């Protein structure tokens, strides 16, 4: 049956207030395979006739719409859902119509119950059956024709009454809808379906140049590859490395961001480009392109992906400065405008000017770089400060790159105002850094997670929680408290299905900041560091256990499935994560790094599928301790000097 | 200066989340002359440059946009407002741009304060001035040229610094914006501006056939006109009368909706049409067309408008049934489908079928009727049950009629589900009946008024509050309590700037219902009644005083200007209405018709322009009693047997 399109004048249904729908369909929502998309709409017609509505959806590649009947929720609101089964774009929209056969069955039933004669109404029914028969499968068509004949035969009156009000007619009406004058929703909405890694992954960031086993040596792709077994053992999915290109020498910065580098200092990887090459070239001290590709390939054998870093900015030595001075802002004295945050100057960095009249070539060049990286085998891009480049560029380039590499993922490193961060996510970024590092209290964390997972953002903004990055060492982390490093790591990894740590520094509890700043002292951005990559401690042990639990528990592989649990102690944060497959994880964290905190956690028993007095087991996946709990309220005490958290799996008791 | 249009690629601003905006601009908001429309939008760009944004608006008839700078509210949200000065459509939209001169001034100021040399920055400023001068008025152009020259002259360095950071440059930047690569909002939104009566009016409904001074006589337009002085004295603005057309005889209903009329019974005015004519003809017992026009004209001399009633339905004798049987639903036996609410039958009424293939002619005929009524001088139409006719028809016919008669107002009599009522308002109805009659408790009234006046509905849905209608006598009103009739009238007239009563019945406290129904016994719908039109009582006295107060106090001429006041007694409802001209009205109502109720009302002193300890006067406009109050909390006691309400005007004390 063809789905009707709008016929102005005679259609009577209205479809509106659709959710999810971002800015009247301007932006796509996001999903991964296996997600169930639940949609709602207001649907109504004039008068008192019955209406029917259907959700229409299809993968963009499919020619035909699939139809799902919509069910009433309340007050003219209807809902339906569909399962995402493949990657790429899906579309969804709606159709609704005044359902005359359904109205007819409703009304004839009332009249028959009232004892009225309904000969004429039966004739109306016969006309409906005639038309349905033209749409029906052969068996149904024969049954419909027989019913129409019966309804026209005065001798079959009693039998017809029975049939008219019964389930067969109801089923035919649903199966062969007569959709004259149907209303089609006037927008087709989009879902972009990414691969699973968009939704779920543990990131580890390091500087390859700091991976050499010998102190004082420049690390390489090969010494980085040597760390893969360790990262795999610890359960990481993504290895993110800062820019790997040539580093400029003009205005090169020294250790701790000194204005002038000393001879022999390596410079900042974000001062991209030298006369030897720009974003499409590789720093020779790290190795060759072949060695980089080998790192990418070897990572895959450990189940790890390498994420590259796109920082759209140049050192004064970058080839673009020579070849395309018009891509930069020129000062009236003929020099190129360096980066500024007045009164501060960053003369080692030239920002690109997205208002350049040659913007088309600039965009194409940046696309070329990304496609080149794709050809190198890279499928994850961490984008440095995307909020300082034009929005329109991101929307275009992400779409262009995904057209070539649909599995390419983009992480937005925008630590800026909420609406700017939201906009970048709407425009296509697969994941986004967040304010998590600065949400420290129970109230702050609860409010922020509620905003991310319960509001409109849940449809398009995938958070990636980092307790630290190579740019960020928050004030509390400067205490170096082991309990705090444990709890912050744990919350990042269990509140959000995507998280990351800036690795060796975190593992070592390195915590010296630059005075007055939330930044690392002796930062690897400005110098080569040396780490003992064999070390183990409580933190590395817990990281391994938590990552293992994440891989084994589907509830930890999603972010929006969170419910906060009441617990009358502001130092204790408790949250339940559940998945449709029955997996239930209850996390409890002591936010106080100094003292044992205790309280009664209230488990919403309906969400764990238990009655109010039913017993169940909670098993701590970190210690393997198991407790039998009953009902809603159960006691918790957490000593931060032992472990500041529980990672409980809720299990059924059979005895 | 031309306002830029979008140039994809180089524009960097985003404009979104506009309010008010109904369904992405699909529907117009409503206003009347003198209203100030406040709009907001999220506006932001990439990066850290300063941006500027402007609201653009114009009456649809004007060629040029008027511009209003938008001011930041918080977090990338901006606001602006504009005054409505004429009737008809207005349009509004937005433009935003990265403001390079503004950014320049901000940054050079920081550098100068930091003691940096800014010769190059001054040259940048000179370039901006050069361009601004091409846009500027002659005096400013000369000043800008001089400034550019100064900025290029090393000898004037100190003077240039002074100028660069000062107010002159700031003013030039605002006055002559350089709007390269500006972003235009991609929707132009609409406001429909009605005349004042759309916003403010007291309606009185009566049946003209019941206006004859002699019992047993059929009232006429002339006997109706004789009541105009009384209605004017009582302060009413609109006289609404049920259909005035021929009444069918087939299946005519008798007294109290008897299935069969007795000989001589007049029938129901809603059983429209006989062989003598339909919606374009007049019942001869009421008078001639000339007499109807005379009623309309004479009303105007009393400041009263006559509202006609459009009920799109036919008696079986209506000419349309004979001439256009295809405008109705045909049953399989060849008869026309009468109205039903199964198992109930209404064989005296044939509904029109808006799914007819001949819908174009049906729509045109209904438009012809409305334009004819317009030609008779009618400018207000009360529409009976619009929710049982196709939405698309209303949108079309209201627009068509307003194209001819822009001052035509339409009141929607849809007592149905919320979204259907909202849809009719969005499609163009000027006013709407509401659930007011069934909102009886303090909580129910507060919640409903909040929904109507604080949510999105305030932009398009103008409530018209009726404590009764000729179809509705609520259960509490069936008590006949004088206090209840007083308080319900009072709330209708003060909560909403549009209200009405079904008059003589209300004034007489007639309260006998049909057992088990919220309907009048001996309803005028089915018979001619006789009333003493000279009577006066407490109710008529209060009606006159309240209508006078409405005319003299601008705060009562608006609906959305309401603030509920705390008062710790569930039987007492208190609300403040304020207007920008300084008028402040405080209403307090005792909802308990039996007992005196007392409490402390908390007046939000900031809304009345008073300090927390300041004295002011409240003068009861019903009794002329005046009290000196101080601060927020003041005592109220209301005896329902005296008067169940205060209508206070807040006045300043000068002593």
């Amino acid at each position: 049956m063809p789905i009707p399109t709008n016929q102005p004048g005679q259609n009577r249904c209205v479809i509106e207030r659709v959710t999810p729908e971002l800015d009247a369909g301007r932006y796509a929502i996001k999903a991964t395979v296996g997600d169930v998309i639940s949609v709602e709409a207001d649907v109504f017609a004039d008068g008192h006739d019955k209406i029917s509505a259907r959700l229409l959806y299809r993968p963009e590649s499919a020619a035909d719409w699939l139809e799902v009947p919509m069910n009433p929720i309340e007050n003219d609101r209807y809902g339906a859902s569909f399962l995402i089964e493949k990657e790429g774009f899906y579309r969804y929209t709606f159709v609704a119509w005044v359902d005359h056969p359904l109205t007819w069955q409703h009304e004839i039933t009332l009249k028959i119950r009232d004892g009225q004669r309904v000969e004429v109404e039966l004739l109306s029914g016969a006309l409906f059956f005639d038309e349905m028969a033209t749409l029906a499968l052969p068996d149904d068509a024969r049954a419909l024709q027989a019913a129409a004949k019966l309804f026209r035969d005065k001798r079959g009156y009693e039998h017809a009454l029975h049939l008219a009000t019964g389930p067969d007619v109801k089923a035919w009406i649903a199966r062969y809808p007569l959709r004259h004058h149907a209303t089609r929703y006037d927008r087709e909405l989009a879902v972009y379906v990414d691969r699973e890694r968009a939704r779920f992954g543990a990131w580890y960031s390091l500087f390859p140049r700091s991976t050499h086993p010998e102190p004082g040596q420049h690390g390489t792709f090969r010494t980085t590859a040597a760390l893969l077994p360790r990262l795999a053992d610890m359960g990481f999915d993504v290895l993110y490395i800062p820019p790997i290109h040539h580093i400029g020498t003009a205005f090169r910065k020294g250790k701790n961001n000194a204005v002038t580098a000393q001879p022999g200092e390596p410079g900042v990887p974000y001062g991209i480009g030298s006369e030897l090459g720009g974003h499409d070239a590789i720093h020779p001290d790290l190795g060759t392109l072949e060695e980089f590709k080998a790192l990418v390939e070897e990572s895959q054998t450990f189940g790890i992906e390498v994420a590259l870093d796109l920082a759209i900015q140049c050192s004064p030595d970058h080839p673009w400065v020579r070849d395309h001075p018009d891509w930069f802002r020129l000062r009236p004295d003929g020099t190129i405008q360096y980066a500024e945050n007045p009164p501060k100057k960053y003369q080692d960095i030239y920002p690109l000017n997205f208002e350049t009249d040659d913007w088309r070539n600039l965009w194409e060049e940046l696309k070329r770089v990304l496609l080149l990286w794709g050809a190198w085998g890279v499928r994850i891009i961490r984008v440095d400060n995307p909020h300082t480049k034009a929005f329109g560029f991101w929307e275009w380039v992400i779409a262009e790159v995904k057209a070539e590499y649909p599995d390419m993922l983009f992480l937005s490193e925008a630590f800026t105002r909420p609406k700017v961060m939201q906009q970048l996510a709407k425009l296509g970024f697969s994941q986004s850094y967040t304010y998590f590092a600065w949400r420290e209290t129970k109230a702050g964390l609860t409010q922020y997670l509620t905003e991310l997972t319960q509001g409109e953002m849940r449809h398009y903004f995938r958070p990636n929680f980092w307790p630290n990055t190579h740019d960020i060492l928050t004030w509390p982390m400067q205490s170096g408290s082991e309990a705090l490093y444990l709890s912050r790591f744990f919350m990042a990894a269990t509140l959000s299905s995507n998280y990351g740590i800036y690795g060796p520094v975190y593992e070592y509890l390195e915590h010296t900041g630059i005075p007055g700043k939330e930044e690392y002292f002796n930062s690897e951005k400005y110098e080569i560091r040396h780490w003992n990559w064999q070390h183990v401690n409580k933190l590395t042990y817990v990281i391994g256990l938590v990552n293992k639990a994440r891989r084994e528990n589907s509830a930890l592989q999603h972010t929006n499935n969170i419910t906060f649990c009441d617990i009358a102690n502001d130092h204790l944060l408790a949250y339940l994560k559940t998945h449709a497959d029955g997996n239930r994880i209850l996390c409890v964290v002591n936010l106080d790094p100094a003292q044992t905190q205790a309280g009664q956690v209230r488990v919403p028993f309906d969400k764990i599928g238990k009655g109010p007095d039913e017993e169940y087991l909670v098993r701590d996946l970190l210690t393997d301790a198991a407790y039998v709990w009953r009902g809603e309220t159960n006691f918790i005490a957490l000593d931060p000097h032992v472990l500041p958290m529980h990672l409980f799996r809720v299990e059924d008791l059979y005895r």
Side-chain angles (χ1 to χ4, degrees), chain A residues 373-427:
Chain A
W373 295 2
W376 293 352
V378 174
R379 289 293 180 279
I380 305 183
I381 312 286
R382 179 264 198 193
V383 178
D384 189 73
N385 286 328
H387 58 293
T388 58
K389 288 86 196 174
F391 293 118
F393 164 70
W394 291 121
E395 183 170 35
W396 175 83
V397 82
I398 291 173
E400 289 283 306
V401 172
K402 284 196 164 189
E404 191 81 14
Y405 299 108
D407 52 345
M408 191 73 87
L409 303 180
F410 293 85
L411 168 62
S412 161
E413 191 248 6
F415 292 106
T416 182
R417 290 150 15 243
K419 287 164 189 173
V420 174
M421 292 171 66
Q422 291 165 10
Q423 184 69 17
L424 291 163
K426 286 185 201 168
L427 293 173

Side-chain angles (χ1 to χ4, degrees), chain A residues 206-256:
Chain A
L206 56 75
F207 283 71
R209 69 187 185 181
S210 296
T211 57
H212 203 284
E214 297 300 317
Q217 297 293 307
H218 195 289
T220 65
F221 298 130
R222 298 178 80 148
T223 56
T224 303
L227 301 177
L228 289 168
R230 182 176 185 273
L231 293 176
D233 277 354
M234 290 174 81
F236 285 100
D237 305 301
V238 178
L239 168 60
Y240 149 57
I241 57 179
I244 58 172
H245 319 294
H246 295 284
I247 297 173
T249 52
F251 298 99
R252 175 178 284 192
K253 296 289 177 71
K255 185 174 162 77
N256 281 314

Side-chain angles (χ1 to χ4, degrees), chain A residues 350-368:
Chain A
Y350 287 174
L352 276 298
N353 173 18
F354 280 81
E355 291 187 29
T356 174
D357 287 336
D358 195 35
W359 60 273
R360 282 186 181 81
N361 285 321
L362 171 60
W363 288 22
E364 287 291 350
E365 171 66 0
L366 292 167
K367 171 183 163 185
R368 186 188 68 80

